[in-house]
Amino acid sequence: MAERVTQEPDRQEREAQAATSAVPSAGSDGQPVALQTEAHGQKPAAGTREAIYDLDDVGVTYGSVPAVREVTFPIYQHEITALIGPSGCGKSTLIRCLNRMNDLIPAASVTGKVSYHGQNLYDDEIDPVQVRKHIGMVFQKPNPFPKTIYDNIAFGPRVLGMDGNMDEIVESALRRGALWDEVKDRLKTNAFGMSGGQQQRLCIARALATSPDVILMDEPCSALDPISTGRIEDLMLELKENYSIVIVTHNMQQAARVSDRTAFFIVDLKGEESHRIGHLVELSPTEKIFTNPDDQRTEDYVTGKFG
Amino acid sequence: MEATSAGATGAPRPDLYRTRTRRSTGEAAIRYALLAAALVSVLTTTGIVFSLLEETVVFFGDVGVGEFLSGTKWTPLAGGESQSFGVVPLVFDTLYLTGIGLLVAIPFGIGSAIYLSEYASPRVRRILKPVLEVLSGVPTIVFGYFALTFVTPEILKGLGLEVGSFNALSAGLVLGVLVLPTIATVADDALTAVPGSLREGAFGLGASRMQVSVRVVLPAALSGVVAALVLGASRAVGETVIILVAGGQKADLTLDPTVAMQNMAAFIAAASRADIPTSGPEYGAIFAVGTTLFVMTLVLNAISIRFVRKYRQVYE
Ligand SMILES: Nc1ncnc2c1ncn2[C@@H]1O[C@H](COP(=O)(O)OP(=O)(O)OP(=O)(O)O)[C@@H](O)[C@H]1O
Ligand SMILES: [Mg+2]
């Protein structure tokens, strides 16, 4: 509790800091900012957009086996950033650095800096529990708790001690998760009785209920049919007005449809030692990645010539 | 019809008929051998029930069922006038001793289980779990003398409690220590079986480790944890030696834990050694108490099975 209180006052300072640091990094990858802004029409003007994350030379090692290395890129507020690349290139490993989920794997160790609003998430004084209160996560396989639909949503607000009318919090989260109409008459039934697509939207709504700033999604649609997938994609486009989203996906069309910016990772598992570690090839606006990428390997991958 | 049309295509018809080979005879023999193995325990149980019931029926010829089940004075081995067969104090003491034991074993057992499955590093776990498992294999006579020669004189009297040399408190506490590892290891198995994805989901929402353990993992493993508690409880209800050695030889209807208490199993053991005629109600009382104990544990297990079925959570 004490830590939460002491952290709040310098939050504005942090954000101010992040805003200033965002400008050079936004310019540095030389991307056509105006195009992004026009295409979606909801963005703040180019100059005011903030990088919420700045990854600087991030590497992750499992025991003594490195999984990803030398990852440096920013993630912008109110955007959807997609991470793509062949299996094993470290997308899940990397996205789990963004809310310190890697802490749950004892063997994993992270090097480099993962700055979030100017604070390195891997600093000693950072409390991972506090981090995850601001940065929610949705997983590949829907993982509702074996509780009622209502209790699934209320879980986060309850553990965070959020005040306010719980019924309203639950309803609003389910509405934002585009699930309210389907489940409003059976809130007190077990969540395991829902379809896979509904369960996944429940997990998204559950993450929204705690009002995080960022939502991380690791292949959220890989277990779903096209209709559920479409719904979740629509939902993501709605959500980015208020949240920043990072999504890992194997579905190129999905990355192209929803994301503003795409990071392409690569790994050559059969190659020489240094190539067996996943690394970033390029991060560009999604349109550029899919039409005119800087790197030949990106083009080969997105056009299906590779991997 | 079929055969002719199939034959018409010219393909040789495969032989699908049953034939008797050495292999098939062997298979059948193994099958019956396994069935026999399974029957051994069923038959033994049936035998036990019959031998219990036989003597119990004889006993109820001497002592009325009502007198036995509702009498509040249990002095079956006393001679003459003061002999009385009211089983209520004995049942009460059994439950009371079990209660003291569970008061120790449930919090510490569940606590250890949560520590092992949610907090301990893999290395600590690799050491602690086997230690607990070994502890649950220590002969109970060791625990009995530990209660009698250490807990009662050194700890309880050391704390200034006025306890008898045989007392319920000491026996009950050590009974708790006895069943603690059982509860801890079985509950730990249940907790570790909860899929990691549920923990990740909860951690991802900003829950602390304690919140994840208590609000997600424990409820998700509820049926297994209850099974652990029932297993511990039935072990405590049926425990003989600790109570025999440290609890004492009489069963009174009292809430005072500083005096001697006896449970049903310890009565059976004590009475079997006592010098009593094999034809009188004293002898029959042993079987009547045995039957009662049998029924009690049966009910306990039946409740737990129902509970486990009701709350079982199936994870693929
Ligand atoms: N818990 C772990 N322990 C050890 N190694 C791991 C662990 N998780 C991942 N790895 C290794 O790290 C590398 C990157 O794995 P990661 O799961 O991040 O890949 P990914 O890009 O998400 O792949 P996919 O697209 O198949 O999900 C792989 O070589 C993998 O074997
Ligand atoms: Mg992955």
Side-chain angles (χ1 to χ4, degrees):
Chain A
M1 281 312 265
E3 283 168 65
R4 203 190 312 181
V5 175
T6 56
Q7 283 200 354
E8 279 317 308
D10 45 65
R11 187 155 169 192
Q12 287 196 325
E13 193 186 318
R14 262 195 283 139
E15 281 170 4
Q17 219 179 2
T20 46
S21 72
V23 179
S25 49
S28 66
D29 59 50
Q31 47 102 51
V33 171
L35 186 143
Q36 281 306 82
T37 316
E38 270 168 38
H40 296 279
Q42 309 145 336
K43 292 270 170 46
T48 63
R49 196 186 25 181
E50 289 179 27
I52 44 167
Y53 278 101
D54 260 303
L55 280 72
D56 183 11
D57 195 19
V58 175
V60 183
T61 303
Y62 290 107
S64 57
V65 186
V68 278
R69 62 177 164 91
E70 293 164 20
V71 176
T72 301
F73 69 87
I75 294 170
Y76 294 99
Q77 190 158 39
H78 300 313
E79 281 196 359
I80 299 179
T81 303
L83 311 183
I84 63 169
S87 193
C89 67
K91 305 178 296 293
S92 300
T93 301
L94 192 72
I95 200 174
R96 291 166 64 95
C97 294
L98 301 181
N99 68 344
R100 298 217 24 193
M101 217 58 185
N102 278 337
D103 290 24
L104 304 184
I105 302 167
S109 71
V110 177
T111 56
K113 264 170 73 180
V114 181
S115 298
Y116 176 68
H117 288 294
Q119 309 180 79
N120 183 3
L121 293 184
Y122 282 88
D123 268 351
D124 285 344
E125 311 88 73
I126 298 285
D127 178 358
V129 172
Q130 296 298 330
V131 170
R132 299 186 198 117
K133 287 177 184 172
H134 297 279
I135 305 163
M137 188 154 197
V138 176
F139 300 83
Q140 176 167 359
K141 242 182 66 191
N143 57 351
F145 304 130
K147 299 174 186 286
T148 63
I149 294 173
Y150 185 100
D151 286 340
N152 262 275
I153 304 287
F155 178 85
R158 280 180 186 147
V159 299
L160 302 198
M162 276 166 63
D163 39 37
N165 183 327
M166 191 56 75
D167 291 349
E168 283 166 17
I169 294 176
V170 169
E171 176 172 344
S172 125
L174 284 169
R175 282 190 191 282
R176 277 176 287 160
L179 196 58
W180 174 252
D181 291 328
E182 284 160 72
V183 301
K184 62 173 186 273
D185 299 321
R186 51 168 174 143
L187 293 176
K188 299 288 177 185
T189 61
N190 197 300
F192 281 30
M194 306 166 87
S195 76
Q198 289 174 328
Q199 288 188 8
Q200 191 63 308
R201 275 179 288 144
L202 180 75
C203 292
I204 295 175
R206 185 174 72 180
L208 297 178
T210 57
S211 303
D213 305 320
V214 182
I215 302 169
L216 310 175
M217 300 180 163
D218 190 351
E219 299 187 43
C221 302
S222 65
L224 306 182
D225 68 293
I227 294 175
S228 309
T229 302
R231 287 196 162 167
I232 289 179
E233 288 177 5
D234 291 345
L235 180 60
M236 287 165 64
L237 291 173
E238 258 168 56
L239 292 174
K240 76 171 182 177
E241 285 181 44
N242 298 309
Y243 307 86
S244 311
I245 298 176
V246 182
I247 177 176
V248 171
T249 179
H250 276 292
N251 181 332
M252 292 303 121
Q253 286 83 34
Q254 180 167 63
R257 278 191 302 260
V258 301
S259 73
D260 301 290
R261 219 172 285 261
T262 299
F264 172 61
F265 291 81
I266 203 165
V267 68
D268 181 3
L269 292 171
K270 290 186 225 77
E272 59 188 86
E273 183 127 15
S274 66
H275 292 202
R276 261 176 268 156
I277 311 170
H279 53 278
L280 178 67
V281 173
E282 68 175 299
L283 168 81
S284 300
T286 299
E287 207 181 285
K288 180 164 157 55
I289 288 272
F290 284 94
T291 54
N292 176 29
D294 288 333
D295 197 293
Q296 184 60 37
R297 291 168 296 176
T298 313
E299 184 167 342
D300 289 350
Y301 186 76
V302 298
T303 54
K305 281 187 205 142
F306 164 123
Chain B
M1 290 273 273
E2 291 288 311
T4 38
S5 66
T9 66
R13 194 171 71 172
D15 180 7
L16 301 175
Y17 288 93
R18 210 188 284 280
T19 46
R20 207 177 257 276
T21 63
R22 183 181 291 186
R23 155 101 75 78
S24 69
T25 319
E27 294 267 351
I30 288 171
R31 185 194 152 114
Y32 286 113
L34 293 175
L35 177 64
L39 281 180
V40 168
S41 73
V42 174
L43 289 177
T44 316
T45 314
T46 323
I48 291 173
V49 171
F50 270 105
S51 67
L52 269 179
L53 284 182
E54 197 182 351
E55 296 289 345
T56 306
V57 168
V58 174
F59 171 77
F60 283 129
D62 297 333
V63 178
V65 179
E67 185 189 337
F68 178 73
L69 288 181
S70 64
T72 55
K73 188 155 169 268
W74 179 252
T75 48
L77 304 185
E81 278 301 286
S82 54
Q83 188 175 45
S84 168
F85 291 97
V87 83
V88 172
L90 190 62
V91 172
F92 175 82
D93 283 9
T94 304
L95 296 177
Y96 192 78
L97 286 162
T98 303
I100 297 178
L102 291 181
L103 233 45
V104 175
I106 291 178
F108 285 93
I110 302 286
S112 324
I114 291 181
Y115 174 75
L116 276 179
S117 84
E118 307 302 311
Y119 284 82
S121 69
R123 210 168 57 90
V124 171
R125 186 187 158 78
R126 261 201 307 279
I127 299 168
L128 273 186
K129 186 99 195 265
V131 168
L132 272 179
E133 274 158 359
V134 166
L135 205 62
S136 60
V138 172
T140 57
I141 185 76
V142 176
F143 284 98
Y145 276 92
F146 174 66
L148 182 70
T149 63
F150 185 76
V151 176
T152 299
E154 305 292 335
I155 298 186
L156 298 182
K157 288 189 175 153
L159 286 172
L161 293 176
E162 299 200 358
V163 293
S165 351
F166 299 104
N167 64 81
L169 190 55
S170 170
L173 291 177
V174 173
L175 187 61
V177 177
L178 172 80
V179 299
L180 191 159
T182 308
I183 292 183
T185 50
V186 178
D188 170 66
D189 290 341
L191 295 176
T192 17
V194 171
S197 61
L198 290 187
R199 290 183 188 86
E200 289 196 326
F203 276 117
L205 291 166
S208 68
R209 196 167 281 276
M210 196 67 212
Q211 289 169 327
V212 174
S213 312
V214 174
R215 299 200 190 191
V216 174
V217 181
L218 198 60
L222 191 64
S223 66
V225 171
V226 169
L229 298 186
V230 173
L231 203 65
S234 20
R235 218 179 148 192
V237 166
E239 172 52 29
T240 315
V241 177
I242 293 176
I243 314 296
L244 197 63
V245 171
Q249 300 277 348
K250 64 188 181 59
D252 291 326
L253 204 52
T254 170
L255 284 168
D256 181 0
T258 63
V259 301
M261 278 194 188
Q262 187 177 44
N263 72 1
M264 299 162 83
F267 163 76
I268 294 173
S272 314
R273 281 187 335 187
D275 188 15
I276 49 173
T278 57
S279 56
E282 297 88 348
Y283 183 72
I286 295 174
F287 292 87
V289 169
T291 308
T292 315
L293 185 57
F294 189 83
V295 171
M296 270 173 62
T297 26
L298 211 64
V299 170
L300 202 61
N301 282 318
I303 292 174
S304 82
I305 288 171
R306 278 193 76 143
F307 190 90
V308 168
R309 287 238 173 91
K310 181 157 176 221
Y311 289 97
R312 169 162 9 190
Q313 200 57 69
V314 187
Y315 306 105
E316 64 220 67

